[in-house]
Amino acid sequence: MGLGIWEPKGSPNVTGTIQMSLHKEEDQDETKQNSVAPNADGNPNTLNLVAVASSTAHSATTTLKTTKKGIVLHPQPHDNPNDPLNWPLWRRDMALIVLGFHCFIGGGQTPILAAGMTKIAKEFDKSPSNTSYLVGGFMLSLGFGSLFAAPTAILYGKRIIYLLGIVLAFGGAIWGACANSFGSLMGARVLMGIGFSPCESLPSATIAEIYFSHERAYRLGFYTMLLLGGKHLVPLLSGFVFDKLTRHWLFWIVAIIVGINLVLTVFFVPETFWDRTPTPNKRSQEETRQARQVAAERLRDALRRQDSFVSNHVPNSFAIPKPEEDDSLSINSLDSSLHNRTNLEIDPEARPVGLSHFTEPATTLSHDSVRKKTFLQELHVFSGRHTQDHWWMVFLRPFVLCAYPNVLYGSLIYTFAVVWLILISETISHLFVADPYDYSPTIIGLFYVAPFVGSILGSSIAGRLSDILVRKMVDRNDGVYEPEFRLVMIIPVFFTVVIGLMGFGWATQAHDLWIVPVVFFGILGFGCSLASTTAITYTVDCYRVFAAEGLVTLNVMKNVVGFLFSLFNNSFVDTKGSKTAFVTFGGIQIFLCLLGLGMYRYGKVLRRWNDEKEFMRYLYVKRE
């Protein structure tokens, strides 16, 4: 039991568990055999692991690329200049910044009307509850848009979906600027929701495609900071527009910014899909034959040791694309952990599909033998079909992932981290326009400075602190990484979100000085940023092979729950008071955080259970 995490019985192969570094003892014992040295060009080092199969077997060298600090790169980049993992860091970061800016604008569209809700209600002669449907309708279309955007992106690439979404959002913004009735404005919001849906369902998967595992948390934190930051800063700016200009001008400004995003995306966000199918073996058949003998012997030993779930089973291997038919690829029963390679001689390119959870084999092609795409080639919108799976299969995967407890828990944490902020955006104008506050839209918009600052601090701390804690926990866990290490961040989430929710509701009902609810609003923004970053990182780390579908699950649940809450949120606050309403919301958050204790302890057992059931198997075309 590593660091309080309950170890499941049976196979050591559990999805999400990876070997990030060698044992210290093992590294010391094999100092003379293994070498870690920086390349002459300063690129990541190469870790040579020498494994002995038996007294009669020959030794072979397995090459794994690592950082200068010895962290094994996961996934292993191919020796191809077109592999996104081989792009210069500035180029990968530029793509992230452009996507992040678009997500910043997209994230702010949900509460963009917050400061002017009272004005809109008067303009169209609607009640505050009916006006809040402009928020709920946008969220619902955002969720269902994700259901269509994600499977299409998996089949045909993310670039074409990003661009198509931006075009729809651009059209919706123009429609909103010209709308003169409540129904027309609702239609514009729905179209914008569909257009901005790729902002929430795809960027996290894009990050997983262009960054290594040890680089992702910080970048996910940056993306989350922009996504949530937009939910705070955009309403702040819209408050000035409502005060000085008109609602129509608000949407014209959005249309201008989205048009700029379209140009930036065309030039700086190429397609990031890369086929990481293992390359067929091109070395001697003798080495392959020896590796097979070792694999067969180890399989017999495993069957003698345990009765259930054969240890050579590779979880979720059905989701990993297989290479072209090659006799040398029939080995599929080798252990994936580094420290168990000491009894194995194996050619690195003879390894089968899904052999390891922490690395895919690098190809033997050199950079010189593969021509790098030209700039014009990278501007192509359509990159072909990327999978043989049917569209309806990919469409159903986010729903099936709800049967995966780890994904379900991550979805709940993420859902309510965003919903709490949306609930405030639906009520803040109503609470502060009336007596005794009697504030203008501009002042109400300025209240969003506090959660904006809180979200920036939360995202920065969440990524960095989470990475630091995880590395220390990995060192104490003999170099083995468990996704549950990310859940340690639930502790600060518990205190900040609960205090922020209850404090905000209590202060507004007691009509405290404006600074009091604003401070609690900032604390809530900080905690929600921690929670959302933690939820995304945990979900992706648990099931990276289902990363795209998992992020859709998170966002669909968030938007559906947000829509449902919008149906009664305003009336609940009006009838029960803000104190009762937000203390109730705080109680829900307490329950979710307490569930994190059980998920930390039994999360690996649940992942193992899902590995056995493999519910997603039926939503993939069978690969022979």
Side-chain angles (χ1 to χ4, degrees):
M1 185 187 301
L3 302 181
I5 296 177
W6 195 272
E7 289 290 337
K9 296 180 180 178
S11 172
N13 295 338
V14 180
T15 299
T17 299
I18 60 176
Q19 186 87 35
M20 294 191 71
S21 60
L22 290 174
H23 295 266
K24 293 180 180 179
E25 295 81 0
E26 181 182 337
D27 194 32
Q28 292 173 355
D29 292 341
E30 299 182 357
T31 301
K32 297 182 180 180
Q33 294 177 316
N34 304 333
S35 62
V36 181
N39 295 330
D41 58 3
N43 290 331
N45 303 343
T46 298
L47 174 63
N48 297 317
L49 302 176
V50 180
V52 181
S54 64
S55 59
T56 58
H58 301 288
S59 63
T61 302
T62 300
T63 303
L64 296 176
K65 297 180 180 179
T66 72
T67 66
K68 293 181 179 180
K69 295 182 179 179
I71 300 175
V72 179
L73 296 179
H74 175 70
Q76 288 281 288
H78 288 187
D79 291 331
N80 187 315
N82 298 312
D83 185 346
L85 292 175
N86 288 326
W87 293 348
L89 185 59
W90 68 264
R91 186 183 179 192
R92 291 183 281 156
D93 285 343
M94 177 62 73
L96 176 60
I97 290 171
V98 172
L99 284 178
F101 179 65
H102 184 58
C103 293
F104 174 84
I105 301 301
Q109 297 310 301
T110 306
I112 193 173
L113 304 177
M117 278 295 196
T118 303
K119 279 193 171 184
I120 294 175
K122 290 180 179 179
E123 178 186 353
F124 297 115
D125 192 24
K126 299 290 183 180
S127 67
S129 294
N130 289 336
T131 308
S132 67
Y133 294 163
L134 291 172
V135 178
F138 178 86
M139 294 190 70
L140 195 62
S141 63
L142 201 64
F144 281 100
S146 298
L147 287 175
F148 289 90
T152 308
I154 290 174
L155 265 65
Y156 299 107
K158 297 177 180 61
R159 176 173 168 83
I160 187 173
I161 301 302
Y162 283 134
L163 294 175
L164 179 61
I166 294 175
V167 170
L168 291 178
F170 181 70
I174 295 176
W175 182 1
C178 300
N180 290 311
S181 67
F182 186 81
S184 181
L185 183 58
M186 176 65 78
R189 291 283 285 170
V190 169
L191 181 60
M192 291 180 71
I194 296 173
F196 279 111
S197 60
C199 292
E200 296 193 334
S201 58
L202 300 182
S204 295
T206 297
I207 291 173
E209 289 177 338
I210 65 177
Y211 292 105
F212 300 105
S213 293
H214 68 282
E215 297 175 326
R216 288 181 200 145
Y218 175 68
R219 268 78 181 188
L220 281 171
F222 176 75
Y223 155 68
T224 306
M225 177 192 71
L226 292 175
L227 184 63
L228 293 183
K231 297 182 186 297
H232 307 310
L233 192 58
V234 170
L236 183 155
L237 299 175
S238 70
F240 289 98
V241 178
F242 275 113
D243 237 9
K244 306 300 181 181
L245 299 172
T246 65
R247 169 184 58 81
H248 301 279
W249 261 109
L250 178 66
F251 286 95
W252 282 122
I253 293 172
V254 171
I256 293 171
I257 296 174
V258 172
I260 294 173
N261 287 343
L262 178 60
V263 176
L264 292 175
T265 304
V266 167
F267 288 103
F268 294 106
V269 185
E271 178 57 53
T272 59
F273 171 80
W274 185 258
D275 184 6
R276 302 204 176 277
T277 303
T279 304
N281 179 43
K282 296 178 182 179
R283 298 190 182 182
S284 69
Q285 294 296 316
E286 177 62 23
E287 289 178 343
T288 301
R289 184 187 65 78
Q290 291 178 5
R292 285 177 176 171
Q293 291 176 348
V294 174
E297 181 61 32
R298 295 186 64 186
L299 176 58
R300 285 191 293 269
D301 293 341
L303 291 173
R304 286 195 294 267
R305 288 195 304 268
Q306 57 189 55
D307 297 326
S308 64
F309 199 75
V310 182
S311 67
N312 69 305
H313 178 74
V314 179
N316 303 313
S317 59
F318 57 85
I320 305 173
K322 289 182 171 56
E324 298 296 326
E325 185 67 23
D326 190 295
D327 186 61
S328 65
L329 291 172
S330 60
I331 310 170
N332 58 5
S333 60
L334 304 181
D335 202 305
S336 65
S337 61
L338 281 174
H339 62 275
N340 284 335
R341 293 176 184 265
T342 55
N343 293 324
L344 175 65
E345 177 188 5
I346 178 171
D347 183 294
E349 291 190 333
R351 283 179 31 216
V353 173
L355 172 63
S356 170
H357 299 301
F358 67 92
T359 182
E360 288 87 18
T363 66
T364 57
L365 297 175
S366 65
H367 284 265
D368 296 333
S369 64
V370 180
R371 179 173 298 179
K372 188 180 184 301
K373 289 183 179 179
T374 65
F375 181 71
L376 290 179
Q377 288 176 325
E378 291 177 342
L379 292 182
H380 289 175
V381 174
F382 186 69
S383 57
R385 189 182 178 96
H386 299 162
T387 177
Q388 298 176 353
D389 297 320
H390 302 299
W391 188 91
W392 66 267
M393 289 181 168
V394 185
F395 176 82
L396 291 177
R397 289 174 193 170
F399 299 101
V400 175
L401 279 177
C402 290
Y404 287 60
N406 309 78
V407 176
L408 182 60
Y409 181 72
S411 300
L412 289 172
I413 292 295
Y414 180 77
T415 291
F416 285 97
V418 177
V419 165
W420 301 142
L421 298 172
I422 300 304
L423 295 184
I424 290 182
S425 75
E426 293 173 350
T427 59
I428 192 169
S429 178
H430 181 60
L431 289 173
F432 289 100
V433 166
D435 291 332
Y437 293 109
D438 196 23
Y439 290 137
S440 67
T442 299
I443 300 299
I444 295 173
L446 288 172
F447 286 175
Y448 276 88
V449 170
F452 177 67
V453 173
S455 68
I456 291 178
L457 294 175
S459 297
S460 302
I461 292 175
R464 289 297 189 185
L465 181 59
S466 178
D467 283 347
I468 292 172
L469 290 175
V470 164
R471 286 168 187 166
K472 290 184 178 298
M473 296 176 79
V474 166
D475 288 341
R476 294 185 59 186
N477 198 40
D478 295 328
V480 177
Y481 168 75
E482 303 287 359
E484 283 69 34
F485 293 164
R486 300 288 185 188
L487 296 182
V488 174
M489 296 300 294
I490 292 294
I491 297 174
V493 168
F494 172 84
F495 290 104
T496 52
V497 174
V498 172
I499 290 174
L501 282 171
M502 294 185 176
F504 181 84
W506 210 296
T508 51
Q509 179 146 334
H511 301 307
D512 289 332
L513 190 65
W514 65 270
I515 190 64
V516 179
V518 167
V519 168
F520 283 118
F521 197 9
I523 294 173
L524 178 63
F526 177 83
C528 288
S529 184
L530 288 179
S532 57
T533 302
T534 300
I536 292 174
T537 308
Y538 177 64
T539 303
V540 171
D541 285 358
C542 279
Y543 296 100
R544 184 184 177 277
V545 68
F546 305 134
E549 297 90 340
L551 270 298
V552 175
T553 304
L554 265 66
N555 285 291
V556 169
M557 182 177 293
K558 177 260 296 182
N559 289 306
V560 171
V561 171
F563 170 74
L564 294 176
F565 269 74
S566 72
L567 299 178
F568 64 84
N569 180 43
N570 276 282
S571 58
F572 183 37
V573 173
D574 286 340
T575 56
K576 299 296 183 180
S578 58
K579 181 176 75 172
T580 300
F582 283 92
V583 167
T584 302
F585 299 153
I588 296 175
Q589 185 65 42
I590 290 174
F591 173 74
L592 291 175
C593 290
L594 291 178
L595 280 181
L597 297 175
M599 186 57 63
Y600 178 86
R601 185 166 180 81
Y602 299 106
K604 187 173 183 177
V605 175
L606 294 172
R607 284 186 282 123
R608 159 89 163 117
W609 177 76
N610 277 118
D611 287 347
E612 289 184 358
K613 300 301 180 182
E614 291 189 335
F615 297 119
M616 295 283 280
R617 172 180 293 277
Y618 308 102
L619 297 179
Y620 284 82
V621 172
K622 186 176 181 181
R623 297 173 173 86
E624 300 297 339

